[in-house]
Amino acid sequence: MPVAATGDYDDANIFARILRGEIPCKRVYEDEFALAFEDINPQAPVHVLVIPKAAYRSWADFSGRASDAEIAGFVRAVGAVARQLGLEAPGYRLLANAGEDAHQEVPHLHVHLFGGRPLGPMLAR
Ligand code: AMP
């Protein structure tokens, strides 16, 4: 079910539980600000989720409330993951869903990183 982009942060969401170590993930990258792990239902040969370690629902929530260090750290982490996965040369796509129209399902900010094949047009028409 898609979730709204606004409202209080839900501490019980699945990515909060992954961050607390309550459920496992296939970790790809981790630093002070971010965790990256494989999507459980991959939609491309490479499908990784990058999440900030602190509690933010969406890009707007993150950009409005996070410190400059958190924002810089998260953006750098996304780039580090793309480099680490060898996607700079072949290319890759980043996507962040927010709210119901975008069909956000997990109310903790996450950037999808897709790669490993030609990815086709940006959106279904
Ligand atoms: P979104 O629709 O942008 O909120 O995407 C949520 C993504 O989280 C989907 O691609 C799911 O496959 C993925 N997902 C849900 N639960 C897990 C999990 N436990 N581990 C890894 N990925 C997950």
Side-chain angles (χ1 to χ4, degrees), residues 1-4 9-10 12-16 37 49 51 56-58 97-99 103-110 112:
M1 282 292 288
V3 294
Y9 181 81
D10 172 12
N13 80 74
I14 196 116
F15 295 167
F37 52 90
L49 302 170
I51 67 174
Y56 300 105
R57 294 178 63 92
S58 66
N97 292 317
H103 220 272
Q104 181 180 7
E105 289 181 351
V106 180
H108 181 110
L109 172 63
H110 48 286
H112 296 257

Side-chain angles (χ1 to χ4, degrees), residues 17-98:
R17 298 187 63 204
I18 286 175
L19 283 165
R20 289 196 296 267
E22 293 170 5
I23 56 172
C25 70
K26 290 192 177 167
R27 189 172 54 192
V28 170
Y29 175 92
E30 183 168 14
D31 65 21
E32 181 183 351
F33 296 106
L35 175 68
F37 52 90
E38 292 179 11
D39 195 290
I40 205 166
N41 183 23
Q43 297 184 40
V46 177
H47 185 174
V48 167
L49 302 170
V50 192
I51 67 174
K53 283 199 165 167
Y56 300 105
R57 294 178 63 92
S58 66
W59 198 272
D61 185 28
F62 178 64
S63 60
R65 293 196 298 115
S67 68
D68 290 355
E70 284 178 283
I71 292 170
F74 181 65
V75 171
R76 288 205 170 98
V78 174
V81 172
R83 277 194 301 278
Q84 178 182 307
L85 295 173
L87 294 173
E88 285 281 274
Y92 56 93
R93 179 170 295 156
L94 303 176
L95 180 115
N97 292 317

